[in-house]
Amino acid sequence: MFDSEYDDCWLRYDRAESDRLDTYRRLCTHAYVSDAGPELVAVREELRRGLGGLLDREPHLWHHPPRSVEGFLAIGGPEELRPISETVDPEEVRALDDDGFLIRSVEWEGSDCTVLTAPADAGLVYGTFHLLRLMSLGEPIDDLDIVSEPANAERIVDHWDNPFRRKVERGYAGPSIFDWERLPDLNERYADYARLLASVGINGISVNNVNTRIPGREGANDATSEWEGWQLIESRNLEKIAALAGVFRRYGIELYLSVNFASPVLASDLDTADPVEPEVAAWWERKATEVYDLIPDFGGFVVKADSEGQLGPYDYDRDHAEGANVIAEALAPHGGRLWWRAFVYSEHDDRAVQAYETFEPLDGEFADNVTVQIKNGPIDFQPREPVSTLFGAMPDTDLGCELQITGEYTGQGVHACYLVPQWKEVLDFDTHADGPDTPVKELLADREGQGIAGVGIVGDDPNWFGHYLLGSNLYGFGRLAWDPDLGSEEIADEWTRQTFGAGDAGETILEILMESWQASIDYHTGGIGLMHMMYNGEAALENHYDPAPEEWPEYHGATEEGIGYDRTAAGSGYAGQYREPIAARYEDPETCPEELLLFFHHLPWDHELEDGTTVVQRLYDNCFAGVEAVEELRDRWQGLEGEIDERRYRHVAERFDEHVLQAKRWRDTLCAFFYEHSGIKDEHGRPPAV
Ligand code: GCW
């Protein structure tokens, strides 16, 4: 269905199973699609592709309701679909969220009509992909009554793509999908990418890296140096952005741009970016107007400020609200939103406490169109982290949860690691913000300007993700952002069946996905709360891929007598940033969940856990269990040889071989490190702790 070279991912639209084919043909061979907005063009194209594949015959797309046909699809807004839409209460449709949709089987003038309607055209796009998903999954469609609205208003993919050399920071799927040199010339791949995103309900994309300036680079660029992300806001480059916005608009997806806080200095001859200076505010206003003149439905800006070398309001002794608001006020008249990242830390003793200490006091200070974008955990997308204390601590500020779809710390593009269970754990976490039963997902849901942003994973590789199985994470991100109540297994099952077909192979792949995250936690961390023990050197391939615990004493706190970081009141006090009863639970090693124990506590190596096993022995056991699990997953994959196409089988099999090797490298490095510090042998006599 895609340009031949590229993988179809989950939009394969293979011929429907015989037990469904006849019904699908009776109900969907004919489709009346209203001719309203650009989105309807995308809807028609997707129906042609999808129905063409699923029905194994060319669908007949009408510009008016067909007569004397057994069945037909009717897709359009309540007004356009009149009089068919009178079978549906228009108030019910108008009451839906803009991205929401309704699909209902009705009888109209003797035909079985499947009405797909929505309050806005974007909903028609999401609804069409939903209907095609049901058919791809072989679901019955003859008695539909679906009303679906996204839980999160904003469901955004953040790209960390650099314009120069098309390099993607923490990208493991080849060069950037965006050809900035050639833009505004378009290529087909952009539309195919927009289809993938829209098919899982994503409604926003930020196209460039939040590191808009190469840290440490002084002054504006000279002609020779590579161009940087901050330059995308320069007038000469805006047509590139506008061209991309045109592609994504057709699929109901708004475009965002990461901008540098000091753009007034970098992109013009102002000598200050001080947010309280009138000429700085005027600069942002002019720039916003220039952007919206070109892109009326532009989503807004994303800013990383005072973080990892990026410039920010601290450079002018201003706080983050002052820094954000000058940009937000420029966007407000155009309906734009500013996503201001809370990923701010410096050489503070305990990095974990900083975001809360920086942002909680600013609750209610941010302009109404600012969303404070918070990483799921207090460190940095580790295999497992506790949930950030900022969730539940800023009731008067629009919040966004930032997740990482690309697996920077979970094996990058090589290890199979399905992250939806991690994200479920975050979104289901009860913050007690409003008393018991106030999970993160509820804090984020149903509020304009709030939602979830995921750090992107795609690159220009034909398989899009660097690893065929990692497509499940982009699919899962979208589905979960739309409906956080969906189950991890349910989502993995949907993805597997659409990508590899139903049947035994699908079952095996589903199991592999569902067991992959725990395995990753075990061999990368030892599974009881340690984290951030990766190589951080210059070698790009090894960066954050290889183990190097010796580099991070301030994270694991390993000493001769024990290990772990004391974040109790006696230590950094991070546990106290949570609401009760969570704070008390984490504060006490007896009640702290074992999977987070050494994140909150520094304990003796021979400290006995609930089942009597010592801390060091548990670390050894989990590291070994992680490797055994990966070996088991590889064996299962190898059992699929001949059952799935050679290209994908071979690709994944090769990566599983490296996955096992690398898991062993982590196990042996961590166990040697624990043994070196504790001097305590592994009870099972397994090297290296012997
Ligand atoms: O995860 C870390 C990464 C950086 C990233 C940064 C951030 C874009 O190692 O590559 O920079 O966090 O989130 O800003």
Side-chain angles (χ1 to χ4, degrees), residues 437-492:
D437 204 18
T438 323
V440 172
K441 63 184 175 188
E442 232 162 74
L443 291 176
L444 296 172
D446 308 332
R447 187 160 139 183
E448 265 326 289
Q450 295 210 135
I452 303 183
V455 178
I457 181 173
V458 304
D460 207 29
D461 273 6
N463 63 59
W464 297 81
F465 310 107
H467 189 306
Y468 282 106
L469 296 186
L470 294 178
S472 58
N473 287 330
L474 179 60
Y475 182 89
F477 170 79
R479 297 291 283 135
L480 203 58
W482 184 280
D483 181 0
D485 295 331
L486 289 171
S488 303
E489 184 147 358
E490 189 181 356
I491 293 173

Side-chain angles (χ1 to χ4, degrees), residues 20 30 65 97 125 131 237 274 378 397 448 531 533 544 554:
R20 293 284 183 217
H30 299 279
D97 172 281
V125 173
L131 179 64
N237 291 319
D274 186 342
T397 306
E448 265 326 289
M531 58 187 73
M533 298 182 285
H544 295 186
E554 75 279 22

Side-chain angles (χ1 to χ4, degrees), residues 160 169-170 209-211 304 307-308 341 343 351 375 380-381 402 404 408-409 543-544:
W160 286 355
E169 184 159 343
R170 313 305 177 189
N209 192 353
V210 289
N211 284 334
K304 171 178 179 174
S307 170
E308 297 188 330
R341 298 177 84 230
F343 183 61
R351 171 174 172 176
K375 286 193 178 187
D380 192 16
F381 300 136
E402 184 179 307
Q404 194 176 48
E408 175 182 353
Y409 296 100
N543 188 288
H544 295 186

Side-chain angles (χ1 to χ4, degrees), residues 312-380:
Y314 285 174
D315 298 313
Y316 303 94
D317 297 329
R318 311 295 178 195
D319 66 35
H320 279 265
E322 291 167 308
N325 292 350
V326 67
I327 304 174
E329 275 139 29
L331 290 168
H334 310 283
R337 176 159 284 276
L338 172 66
W339 289 73
W340 187 268
R341 298 177 84 230
F343 183 61
V344 174
Y345 69 96
S346 64
E347 298 334 306
H348 191 286
D349 300 353
D350 178 9
R351 171 174 172 176
V353 302
Q354 192 155 349
Y356 182 97
E357 290 185 349
T358 303
F359 284 87
E360 190 273 339
L362 297 175
D363 184 34
E365 307 283 319
F366 290 93
D368 293 350
N369 61 331
V370 174
T371 299
V372 172
Q373 180 167 324
I374 305 164
K375 286 193 178 187
N376 56 285
I379 301 294
D380 192 16

